[in-house]
Short mmCIF file of all heavy atoms in Angstrom, two decimals:
data_model
loop_
_atom_site.label_atom_id
_atom_site.label_comp_id
_atom_site.label_asym_id
_atom_site.label_seq_id
_atom_site.Cartn_x
_atom_site.Cartn_y
_atom_site.Cartn_z
N PRO A 62 -68.99 89.20 -25.49
CA PRO A 62 -67.54 89.43 -25.32
C PRO A 62 -67.24 90.75 -24.62
O PRO A 62 -66.34 90.85 -23.78
CB PRO A 62 -67.02 89.42 -26.76
CG PRO A 62 -68.00 88.58 -27.51
CD PRO A 62 -69.34 88.86 -26.87
N ALA A 63 -68.03 91.78 -24.94
CA ALA A 63 -67.80 93.10 -24.32
C ALA A 63 -68.17 93.09 -22.84
O ALA A 63 -67.50 93.71 -22.01
CB ALA A 63 -68.59 94.17 -25.06
N TYR A 66 -65.52 91.33 -20.96
CA TYR A 66 -64.29 92.12 -20.93
C TYR A 66 -64.38 93.26 -19.91
O TYR A 66 -63.49 93.46 -19.09
CB TYR A 66 -64.01 92.67 -22.33
CG TYR A 66 -62.71 93.40 -22.45
CD1 TYR A 66 -61.50 92.72 -22.58
CD2 TYR A 66 -62.67 94.81 -22.44
CE1 TYR A 66 -60.31 93.40 -22.68
CE2 TYR A 66 -61.47 95.49 -22.55
CZ TYR A 66 -60.29 94.78 -22.67
OH TYR A 66 -59.10 95.45 -22.77
N PHE A 67 -65.49 94.01 -19.95
CA PHE A 67 -65.59 95.20 -19.10
C PHE A 67 -66.13 94.90 -17.70
O PHE A 67 -65.95 95.67 -16.78
CB PHE A 67 -66.46 96.28 -19.77
CG PHE A 67 -65.81 96.89 -20.98
CD1 PHE A 67 -66.30 96.66 -22.26
CD2 PHE A 67 -64.69 97.70 -20.85
CE1 PHE A 67 -65.70 97.23 -23.38
CE2 PHE A 67 -64.07 98.27 -21.96
CZ PHE A 67 -64.59 98.03 -23.23
N GLN A 270 -73.56 98.08 -34.46
CA GLN A 270 -72.53 97.48 -35.31
C GLN A 270 -71.29 97.09 -34.51
O GLN A 270 -70.31 96.65 -35.08
CB GLN A 270 -72.13 98.47 -36.41
CG GLN A 270 -73.25 98.73 -37.41
CD GLN A 270 -72.80 99.74 -38.45
OE1 GLN A 270 -72.78 100.94 -38.20
NE2 GLN A 270 -72.43 99.27 -39.62
N GLY A 271 -71.35 97.30 -33.21
CA GLY A 271 -70.24 96.88 -32.35
C GLY A 271 -69.21 97.97 -32.10
O GLY A 271 -68.17 97.71 -31.48
N TYR A 272 -69.47 99.17 -32.56
CA TYR A 272 -68.51 100.26 -32.31
C TYR A 272 -68.67 100.78 -30.88
O TYR A 272 -69.80 100.99 -30.41
CB TYR A 272 -68.70 101.40 -33.32
CG TYR A 272 -68.24 100.98 -34.70
CD1 TYR A 272 -69.15 100.62 -35.68
CD2 TYR A 272 -66.87 100.89 -34.99
CE1 TYR A 272 -68.73 100.20 -36.94
CE2 TYR A 272 -66.44 100.48 -36.24
CZ TYR A 272 -67.37 100.13 -37.19
OH TYR A 272 -66.94 99.70 -38.42
N ILE A 273 -67.54 100.97 -30.22
CA ILE A 273 -67.56 101.39 -28.82
C ILE A 273 -67.34 102.90 -28.76
O ILE A 273 -66.40 103.44 -29.36
CB ILE A 273 -66.45 100.68 -28.01
CG1 ILE A 273 -66.59 99.16 -28.18
CG2 ILE A 273 -66.53 101.08 -26.53
CD1 ILE A 273 -65.46 98.37 -27.54
N VAL A 282 -64.44 104.81 -30.73
CA VAL A 282 -62.99 104.79 -30.47
C VAL A 282 -62.42 103.37 -30.54
O VAL A 282 -61.20 103.19 -30.48
CB VAL A 282 -62.66 105.42 -29.10
CG1 VAL A 282 -62.89 106.92 -29.11
CG2 VAL A 282 -63.47 104.78 -27.96
N ALA A 283 -63.28 102.37 -30.64
CA ALA A 283 -62.80 100.98 -30.74
C ALA A 283 -63.96 100.14 -31.26
O ALA A 283 -65.06 100.64 -31.50
CB ALA A 283 -62.33 100.48 -29.37
N HIS A 284 -63.67 98.83 -31.43
CA HIS A 284 -64.73 97.92 -31.92
C HIS A 284 -64.74 96.67 -31.06
O HIS A 284 -63.71 96.26 -30.52
CB HIS A 284 -64.49 97.56 -33.40
CG HIS A 284 -65.65 96.85 -34.01
ND1 HIS A 284 -65.71 95.47 -34.11
CD2 HIS A 284 -66.82 97.32 -34.52
CE1 HIS A 284 -66.86 95.13 -34.67
NE2 HIS A 284 -67.56 96.24 -34.93
N ILE A 285 -65.92 96.08 -30.96
CA ILE A 285 -66.11 94.90 -30.10
C ILE A 285 -65.19 93.74 -30.52
O ILE A 285 -64.84 92.89 -29.70
CB ILE A 285 -67.61 94.49 -30.12
CG1 ILE A 285 -67.95 93.54 -28.99
CG2 ILE A 285 -68.04 93.95 -31.45
CD1 ILE A 285 -69.45 93.31 -28.82
N SER A 286 -64.76 93.74 -31.77
CA SER A 286 -63.88 92.66 -32.24
C SER A 286 -62.44 92.88 -31.76
O SER A 286 -61.62 91.97 -31.85
CB SER A 286 -63.91 92.58 -33.77
OG SER A 286 -63.54 93.85 -34.30
N LYS A 287 -62.12 94.08 -31.28
CA LYS A 287 -60.75 94.36 -30.78
C LYS A 287 -60.88 95.14 -29.47
O LYS A 287 -60.48 96.31 -29.37
CB LYS A 287 -59.98 95.19 -31.80
CG LYS A 287 -59.61 94.39 -33.03
CD LYS A 287 -58.75 95.20 -33.95
CE LYS A 287 -58.46 94.38 -35.21
NZ LYS A 287 -58.09 95.19 -36.34
N LEU A 288 -61.44 94.47 -28.47
CA LEU A 288 -61.75 95.15 -27.21
C LEU A 288 -60.52 95.73 -26.53
O LEU A 288 -60.58 96.78 -25.90
CB LEU A 288 -62.45 94.16 -26.27
CG LEU A 288 -63.90 93.85 -26.67
CD1 LEU A 288 -64.36 92.54 -26.05
CD2 LEU A 288 -64.82 94.99 -26.26
N GLU A 289 -59.40 95.03 -26.71
CA GLU A 289 -58.19 95.48 -26.02
C GLU A 289 -57.72 96.84 -26.53
O GLU A 289 -56.90 97.51 -25.88
CB GLU A 289 -57.08 94.42 -26.12
CG GLU A 289 -56.54 94.10 -27.50
CD GLU A 289 -57.53 93.34 -28.42
OE1 GLU A 289 -58.59 92.89 -27.93
OE2 GLU A 289 -57.24 93.23 -29.62
N GLU A 290 -58.25 97.28 -27.67
CA GLU A 290 -57.86 98.60 -28.19
C GLU A 290 -58.60 99.75 -27.50
O GLU A 290 -58.28 100.91 -27.69
CB GLU A 290 -58.12 98.68 -29.71
CG GLU A 290 -57.13 97.85 -30.50
CD GLU A 290 -57.33 97.98 -32.00
OE1 GLU A 290 -58.21 98.74 -32.44
OE2 GLU A 290 -56.58 97.29 -32.71
N TYR A 291 -59.61 99.38 -26.68
CA TYR A 291 -60.39 100.46 -26.04
C TYR A 291 -59.57 101.17 -24.98
O TYR A 291 -59.00 100.55 -24.09
CB TYR A 291 -61.68 99.92 -25.40
CG TYR A 291 -62.42 101.06 -24.71
CD1 TYR A 291 -63.16 101.97 -25.45
CD2 TYR A 291 -62.29 101.27 -23.34
CE1 TYR A 291 -63.77 103.05 -24.85
CE2 TYR A 291 -62.91 102.35 -22.72
CZ TYR A 291 -63.65 103.23 -23.49
OH TYR A 291 -64.25 104.31 -22.91
N GLN A 292 -59.52 102.49 -25.09
CA GLN A 292 -58.87 103.29 -24.04
C GLN A 292 -59.71 104.52 -23.80
O GLN A 292 -60.10 105.20 -24.76
CB GLN A 292 -57.49 103.73 -24.53
CG GLN A 292 -56.43 102.69 -24.25
CD GLN A 292 -55.04 103.29 -24.31
OE1 GLN A 292 -54.79 104.18 -25.12
NE2 GLN A 292 -54.15 102.81 -23.46
#
Side-chain angles (χ1 to χ4, degrees):
Y66 185 79
F67 291 111
Q270 293 178 282
Y272 289 102
I273 306 174
V282 290
H284 190 264
I285 195 170
S286 56
K287 289 185 182 158
L288 286 160
E289 64 290 351
E290 287 183 2
Y291 178 77
Q292 274 199 325

